[in-house]
Amino acid sequence: MATRKKIPLLLKLVLGIVLGLMVGSLLGRFQVVWPVRVFATFNGLFSTFLSFVVPLLILSFVTMGIADLGKGAGRMLGLSVGLAYVSTAFFVGLAIFSFRLLLPYMGLEGGGFQQMMDNPNDFLLTGYFSIPLPPVMDVLTALVLAFVLGLGLTGLSSKENALYEGAHIFQGIIEKLIDRAILPLLPLHITGVFMNMSYSGEAKHVMSMMLVVFLFVVSFQILTLFVHFGLAGVMTKRNPFKLLWEMFPAYVTALGTRSSAASIPVTRRQMTVIGVDEDIADFTTPLFSAIHMPGNAISVGIIAFSLAAIAGIEVSLADTFGLIFMLGIIMVAAPGIPGGAILAAMGFLQTNFGFSEALITLAIAMDFATDPTGTATNVTADGALALEVQAIMEKKEKAK
């Protein structure tokens, strides 16, 4: 008996946006309100549940992300983790500050959409009812507790203990919750949001903004690869363009699978092709697939600032540096699923940027559009970073 092929989540999201735009526009033309309000009710309940899950997600994934770093040993682990964090923070910082400089020329600020975000009840229809569901802890508490637990677990001599096993099981529960409940309902949620915006007449501006942001994100992801391989080429005295071309199979694989983990066999093989020692490739490939995500960090950072701009939210320099600093850590917490990066960053955007339900939903939709190129950027840059780690280790050995 032939098995049915599942529709990819990205396609479901695209279909949800298109359906929401078409139905919302049609209902607006005939002034039919109740279907939009039914979806608005579902959206409110879904967003409340999502806010409840976010601290649990951060607690589970950051704890295990830090704890699992303790499975490596020696100077190479510290060097690899340090370079991965610097890489993520540097490139997302470069993208964000470049975006801020170019923002006045992009036509994203102001307009009717800003008024809609300032006074959503004047533009968007509300649901029939809502159910309060306060999170068990706030985002900052979850993050600090995760650091305490994760660092504590790395200090234990053995991973075979009740606390580690319990944290691992808890992570599995949250991962299944996201995979089997949140992600399947996400297309319906996005359909409702775009239906509501289309009904209010603001969808056209949002779609044009999404295209501008997508092009900017992809441009900086490509720039990240050129800079990384340029640096690796200088450190190894090899042609950076040839190195990048030899890692390209990993890029294509990640683009298709949208998973760093699924790309590990190809990534490791191409690392050895560009000259990474097998021992270093064996160590860095799985490690970098979990902690080195400059492509996804760029996507989340630019999306956050673009939505803040169109919603008229003033982001201070302190919050800008805070986002850059936190994204390097948040990427460790990101679940290994499509869209995991934006889900992990939701709490920070709600708490520090003041993002509303509508802005969070738009951020999720936009991040899913750039997730394939972000993942491809991550795994390809892993090859350059492995070469950099190897070059530094060799230099230290010669200096002895």
Side-chain angles (χ1 to χ4, degrees):
M1 185 176 178
T3 57
R4 290 184 178 180
K5 289 186 177 180
K6 290 185 178 180
I7 301 175
L9 182 59
L10 180 59
L11 180 57
K12 289 181 182 179
L13 293 174
V14 172
L15 291 174
I17 291 173
V18 172
L19 185 63
L21 292 173
M22 292 175 60
V23 174
S25 179
L26 187 64
L27 293 175
R29 182 177 300 177
F30 292 100
Q31 294 297 302
V32 180
V33 175
W34 68 265
V36 185
R37 292 200 64 190
V38 167
F39 270 90
T41 303
F42 167 77
N43 288 345
L45 297 175
F46 184 83
S47 295
T48 300
F49 180 66
L50 208 54
S51 298
F52 174 82
V53 171
V54 166
L56 303 179
L57 183 152
I58 291 174
L59 178 62
S60 62
F61 281 91
V62 171
T63 298
M64 289 305 298
I66 295 173
D68 285 339
L69 293 181
K71 291 185 176 180
R75 291 173 298 169
M76 189 182 294
L77 174 62
L79 177 63
S80 299
V81 173
L83 288 180
Y85 180 84
V86 169
S87 170
T88 301
F90 173 78
F91 286 108
V92 72
L94 180 64
I96 285 175
F97 281 108
S98 299
F99 186 81
R100 286 183 62 140
L101 288 173
L102 296 173
L103 188 58
Y105 309 102
M106 291 185 178
L108 299 179
E109 297 176 290
F113 191 78
Q114 178 176 338
Q115 296 174 16
M116 183 179 74
M117 293 294 103
D118 290 339
N119 304 287
N121 292 337
D122 295 342
F123 291 85
L124 300 177
L125 296 174
T126 57
Y128 288 111
F129 64 92
S130 62
I131 299 176
L133 183 63
V136 293
M137 65 184 77
D138 60 36
V139 172
L140 184 59
T141 301
L143 191 60
V144 172
L145 180 58
F147 265 93
V148 172
L149 291 174
L151 291 173
L153 287 171
T154 61
L156 297 178
S157 57
S158 172
K159 296 300 181 186
E160 295 180 2
N161 59 77
L163 182 57
Y164 182 86
E165 290 299 322
H168 184 70
I169 292 170
F170 181 51
Q171 183 193 39
I173 292 171
I174 299 301
E175 194 167 33
K176 284 186 178 180
L177 178 65
I178 294 170
D179 191 47
R180 298 184 182 181
I182 292 177
L183 292 184
L185 291 175
L186 195 56
L188 192 62
H189 180 51
I190 287 177
T191 299
V193 170
F194 276 87
M195 182 188 299
N196 210 333
M197 286 192 295
S198 181
Y199 187 90
S200 69
E202 290 296 330
K204 184 178 179 181
H205 181 73
V206 174
M207 295 302 293
S208 62
M209 176 271 299
M210 289 176 68
L211 178 60
V212 172
V213 173
F214 176 80
L215 294 175
F216 193 90
V217 167
V218 173
S219 298
F220 264 85
Q221 288 170 345
I222 293 172
L223 177 63
T224 296
L225 293 179
F226 279 116
V227 173
H228 247 310
F229 279 93
L231 179 60
V234 170
M235 294 176 72
T236 60
K237 298 179 181 179
R238 296 179 58 188
N239 186 337
F241 296 104
K242 185 178 180 181
L243 293 174
L244 178 56
W245 175 252
E246 288 173 339
M247 280 299 299
F248 195 65
Y251 186 95
V252 175
T253 303
L255 199 64
T257 62
R258 301 181 69 203
S259 168
S260 297
S263 307
I264 283 177
V266 178
T267 305
R268 185 203 170 279
R269 184 190 66 198
Q270 297 310 121
M271 279 187 182
T272 59
V273 170
I274 65 175
V276 178
D277 290 341
E278 288 199 6
D279 289 342
I280 294 179
D282 289 341
F283 178 78
T284 57
T285 304
L287 178 65
F288 287 162
S289 71
I291 68 172
H292 184 227
M293 302 185 183
N296 291 118
I298 288 170
S299 176
V300 173
I302 297 306
I303 288 169
F305 273 86
S306 65
L307 290 177
I310 65 170
I313 298 173
E314 291 289 336
V315 181
S316 67
L317 198 59
D319 280 336
T320 301
F321 279 108
L323 179 62
I324 294 169
F325 171 77
M326 289 301 298
L327 277 176
I329 300 171
I330 288 171
M331 292 302 103
V332 178
I337 52 177
I342 193 66
L343 291 174
M346 273 177 50
F348 186 89
L349 297 179
Q350 289 174 320
T351 303
N352 293 69
F353 280 40
F355 271 24
S356 63
E357 169 198 333
L359 289 178
I360 287 294
T361 304
L362 284 175
I364 293 172
M366 293 165 68
D367 184 74
F368 268 89
T370 59
D371 187 73
T373 57
T375 304
T377 301
N378 297 338
V379 302
T380 308
D382 287 350
L385 195 60
L387 277 177
E388 293 160 17
V389 169
Q390 179 171 293
I392 293 173
M393 293 295 293
E394 289 175 351
K395 187 175 181 179
K396 286 185 176 181
E397 287 297 322
K398 289 179 180 179
K400 285 184 178 181

